Amino acid sequence: MTNKKTQNRNTSGGFTLIETIVSIALFVVLALGVISLVSIMLTTVRQQGGLLADSDSARKVAFRIISEFRNAGASSTGAYALDTADNQTLIFYSNIDGGADVERVRYYMSNGSLYRGVIKPTGSPLAYNGGSEVTTEIQKNIANGANSLFYYYDGSYNGVTDNYLTQPVNVTLVRYIKIKMLVYNKAGVKNQTSYSVTVGGAIRGIKDNLGN
């Protein structure tokens, strides 16, 4: 009788070694699962934040181009407001610094980046010297490749039908341009190799039936 009571006390009091090992193993598995889940959540948040920052930067670049294009006008030498309207190159004249003269502004793609070149007129009489162009890289990781970056429309454009002018474009017909910029996704968001930014605008001084 005494042995039986002692055995009952031993089996009912606390965890056995096997139970303890199993409990620890379950706790480790659960802890690793929680850590993995938190890590995935933080990575996703970081990736989404990076993607938003990158796309916001691209939108600012596109809106800057359109803002300068809206204010385009005759150059300081009397040249027409729009100089070049190619698929990946846009050249126009606009007073971008608020000074007395009008600058020649060139946006173009090269080696997967978008550049902005500015020439201030100099000399007497005034002239735009290509050697004095100040060039700045304004957007990296452009994914357009051979696809057009700039699209041009005449006065018949209604904002709905995508009836853009075919190359070569007669610059005197252009009333509206649209920028369709593709930028590689470097933030690492899954299932998205690139994102797009589309912005459009008209030269205020020569627009016909278009809005602002």
Side-chain angles (χ1 to χ4, degrees), residues 138-149:
I138 59 173
Q139 182 65 50
K140 298 180 178 180
N141 304 318
I142 298 294
N144 287 68
N147 297 322
S148 297
L149 174 64

Side-chain angles (χ1 to χ4, degrees), residues 55-137:
S55 59
D56 182 59
S57 174
R59 280 194 297 269
K60 288 180 179 178
V61 167
F63 277 112
R64 177 183 183 179
I65 298 173
I66 292 300
S67 175
E68 294 177 352
F69 181 77
R70 285 180 184 274
N71 295 317
S75 74
S76 295
T77 61
Y80 188 66
L82 182 57
D83 178 275
T84 300
D86 288 338
N87 290 335
Q88 297 187 347
T89 301
L90 171 65
I91 302 175
F92 57 90
Y93 297 94
S94 182
N95 188 341
I96 61 174
D97 61 3
D101 298 316
V102 176
E103 287 75 33
R104 180 184 184 270
V105 184
R106 178 169 70 113
Y107 286 98
Y108 64 98
M109 282 175 48
S110 178
N111 297 322
S113 291
L114 179 62
Y115 291 85
R116 175 181 185 256
V118 177
I119 302 176
K120 297 181 71 68
T122 57
S124 181
L126 289 174
Y128 294 90
N129 180 3
S132 65
E133 183 180 47
V134 178
T135 303
T136 308
E137 183 184 44

Side-chain angles (χ1 to χ4, degrees), residues 1-211:
M1 179 69 67
T2 303
N3 292 337
K4 186 175 182 181
K5 289 182 179 180
T6 303
Q7 182 180 3
N8 287 340
R9 285 197 299 270
N10 291 337
T11 57
S12 62
F15 292 103
T16 66
L17 177 62
I18 294 177
E19 289 173 332
T20 302
I21 293 174
V22 170
S23 299
I24 293 173
L26 289 174
F27 175 79
V28 171
V29 170
L30 290 173
L32 290 175
V34 171
I35 292 173
S36 177
L37 179 61
V38 171
S39 177
I40 292 172
M41 291 175 61
L42 291 176
T43 298
T44 300
V45 169
R46 184 171 60 252
Q47 289 174 337
Q48 293 292 347
L51 183 62
L52 288 173
D54 289 345
S55 59
D56 182 59
S57 174
R59 280 194 297 269
K60 288 180 179 178
V61 167
F63 277 112
R64 177 183 183 179
I65 298 173
I66 292 300
S67 175
E68 294 177 352
F69 181 77
R70 285 180 184 274
N71 295 317
S75 74
S76 295
T77 61
Y80 188 66
L82 182 57
D83 178 275
T84 300
D86 288 338
N87 290 335
Q88 297 187 347
T89 301
L90 171 65
I91 302 175
F92 57 90
Y93 297 94
S94 182
N95 188 341
I96 61 174
D97 61 3
D101 298 316
V102 176
E103 287 75 33
R104 180 184 184 270
V105 184
R106 178 169 70 113
Y107 286 98
Y108 64 98
M109 282 175 48
S110 178
N111 297 322
S113 291
L114 179 62
Y115 291 85
R116 175 181 185 256
V118 177
I119 302 176
K120 297 181 71 68
T122 57
S124 181
L126 289 174
Y128 294 90
N129 180 3
S132 65
E133 183 180 47
V134 178
T135 303
T136 308
E137 183 184 44
I138 59 173
Q139 182 65 50
K140 298 180 178 180
N141 304 318
I142 298 294
N144 287 68
N147 297 322
S148 297
L149 174 64
F150 302 108
Y151 295 82
Y152 308 92
Y153 303 81
D154 59 21
S156 66
Y157 179 60
N158 59 13
V160 179
T161 305
D162 201 22
N163 56 331
Y164 56 85
L165 300 172
T166 58
Q167 294 290 339
V169 171
N170 182 343
V171 295
T172 63
L173 297 179
V174 177
R175 295 295 180 270
Y176 189 90
I177 70 164
K178 188 180 292 184
I179 302 171
K180 293 183 180 181
M181 185 189 305
L182 298 176
V183 183
Y184 285 114
N185 167 29
K186 293 297 183 179
V189 177
K190 292 182 178 180
N191 303 320
Q192 187 170 354
T193 57
S194 65
Y195 55 89
S196 62
V197 174
T198 302
V199 182
I203 298 178
R204 292 191 177 99
I206 61 175
K207 65 182 181 179
D208 297 325
N209 61 328
L210 299 170

